[in-house]
Each structure stands twice: as structure tokens, then as C-alpha cells.
Amino acid sequence: MTHALILLHTCWSVVFHAHLDRRQWWAPPIVVASHMLISCLTLFNQSDNPQYAISLVPAFVMLIIFAFWALYVSGLRVRTLKQGVCCCLLTPATGQVFVPAN
């Protein structure tokens, strides 16, 4: 849970500040509301019979959503991802490294 919250805070920060820089005022309240939701769900872990699934499942679902959102607002697109992954290819005939020209 701790790792999920650390990563969530990183993603929340990226989304929050990216939309503030662009003066898009609809996104920061979503970030704050999701932060409050996840924080309130962790209160279920403090009872005598802790219900960890109630807080873990939404936290990881929220982490996946906000990770993709943070990557999107920071400029990652499918095209740039393909360029990053496929920048060095092995040519089948020689086995040498081929770097495509940009």
C-alpha cells in the first residue's frame, strides 16, 4: 500500500501541476477528490478486523488510471513509445545493431 501511495502522489503531482500550467481548472479538483477518496479508504485498515481489499483494489486501479494520465500530460504518445522501444533493432542478416535515422 505504501508503494502505491508513493507512486500515486507522484502521478497526482504531475497531473495537478501540468493542468495548472495549462490553466485547465477542471483537473485539479479531480486530483484532490481522488486523493481524499484513497485517504479515506485507508481508514478501513485501522479497525480490529482490517479490510485491506477495500483500500488496496481502488488504490491500484487509481494508480493505473493516473499513471497513464500523467504519462499522457507529460508528452508520451504511442508513436514516441514505439520510437523509444524500437530505437535499436537487430538486423536479421548480420546480427549487428541498426539505429534508424531520424
Side-chain angles (χ1 to χ4, degrees), residues 5-50:
L5 287 177
I6 290 169
L7 291 172
L8 266 170
H9 277 92
T10 304
C11 295
W12 283 327
S13 177
V14 169
V15 171
F16 189 85
H17 290 290
H19 285 284
L20 283 181
D21 287 344
R22 297 175 186 161
R23 297 185 184 270
Q24 296 173 339
W25 307 116
W26 57 270
I30 293 172
V31 171
V32 172
S34 65
H35 186 282
M36 292 300 297
L37 174 70
I38 296 298
S39 296
C40 289
L41 286 176
T42 60
L43 296 174
F44 286 105
N45 300 341
Q46 297 180 358
S47 64
D48 293 335
N49 185 17

